[in-house]
Amino acid sequence: MPGHFEPLPGGGAAVALDEVEISIIRSLAVQLLELIGPGPGENTAEDPLAELFAEGPSEPPSDPVLHRLFPDAYSGPDVEANSREQADEQRAHSAEFRRFTENDLRAGKRDNALAVIRSLDALTPGGDGGAVLKLSAEQSEQWLRSLNDLRLAIGSRLDLVDEQDTDLLYRLPDEDPRKPMVMAYLWLGGLQETLVETLMP
């Protein structure tokens, strides 16, 4: 179990984490939570009807990490190759989609990050400071989504675009200042992969 998730009888997953690993994951989840924030235009009032009809932003985030977490729905690399009219139409569709979905997406990502933090805070460390994290099937899904968000965020900071870029990470010299972030990215990828395997039927 050390270093990777294993399935639990009846559903869910478990992983043994040492004190440093617990601290790293928790710190990254807190940073993700702070980065996502409440969302521009999100209604924080206690009126559920007003909250239901609250509109989100129509413009994409300027922060590249947030843009990676909340990408445009109808545009991509092909936009520039399209006619100006097609590109304008795609941008308009993306803006409309973002306006009605981004607040919910932000709330979902916050909930997932909070689930990670709370499950780590509930651990009872052993004599070495480590603990076995046991997740229900629902918590496993939240962890999986949050691990994906964390990797997207780190990958964006590392300017990763595709798998070939990931291969280059293994060859970075130890003195490269990006090395700790790279190690976290690769380690989270291993956790994510084994968690996916536990959830497969």
Side-chain angles (χ1 to χ4, degrees):
M1 189 185 304
H4 62 272
F5 280 96
E6 291 184 2
L8 288 174
V15 64
L17 298 170
D18 65 31
E19 191 174 9
V20 173
E21 291 169 335
I22 293 168
S23 175
I24 290 171
I25 297 173
R26 191 186 188 286
S27 174
L28 289 172
V30 168
Q31 290 176 53
L32 180 65
L33 208 54
E34 292 170 350
L35 179 67
I36 292 169
E42 187 167 305
N43 193 316
T44 55
E46 292 182 10
D47 181 353
L49 193 59
E51 193 170 326
L52 181 65
F53 291 102
E55 293 182 4
S58 58
E59 293 297 318
S62 56
D63 185 306
V65 175
L66 285 175
H67 196 276
R68 187 83 174 266
L69 291 170
F70 305 102
D72 287 327
Y74 295 97
S75 60
D78 294 332
V79 169
E80 300 305 322
N82 293 338
S83 70
R84 185 179 185 98
E85 185 178 327
Q86 288 172 317
D88 288 345
E89 187 177 333
Q90 283 186 329
R91 277 190 280 272
H93 288 316
S94 287
E96 189 76 356
F97 185 83
R98 184 180 296 280
R99 195 157 59 96
F100 291 109
T101 61
E102 187 169 310
N103 284 347
D104 286 342
L105 290 172
R106 282 180 183 266
K109 291 181 186 299
R110 273 197 305 278
D111 288 346
N112 295 331
L114 277 170
V116 168
I117 293 166
R118 286 173 180 152
S119 58
L120 291 175
D121 287 348
L123 288 175
T124 305
D128 60 354
V132 175
L133 174 70
K134 293 182 179 180
L135 303 173
S136 66
E138 182 183 356
Q139 288 173 317
S140 296
E141 293 279 356
Q142 290 178 301
W143 263 74
L144 187 60
R145 290 190 290 267
S146 200
L147 285 172
N148 186 61
D149 287 342
L150 289 172
R151 292 191 79 237
L152 283 174
I154 296 172
S156 180
R157 291 288 187 236
L158 291 170
D159 293 324
L160 297 180
V161 178
D162 55 35
E163 282 305 311
Q164 287 183 333
D165 293 336
T166 306
D167 294 340
L168 295 173
L169 297 180
Y170 289 99
R171 297 195 286 275
L172 280 179
D174 289 342
E175 59 272 14
D176 191 300
R178 296 171 294 170
K179 192 73 173 188
M181 202 183 300
V182 166
M183 297 306 293
Y185 178 83
L186 296 174
W187 172 58
L188 292 174
L191 283 178
Q192 184 181 19
E193 186 177 340
T194 59
L195 186 50
V196 167
E197 289 169 1
T198 69
L199 297 174
M200 291 175 69

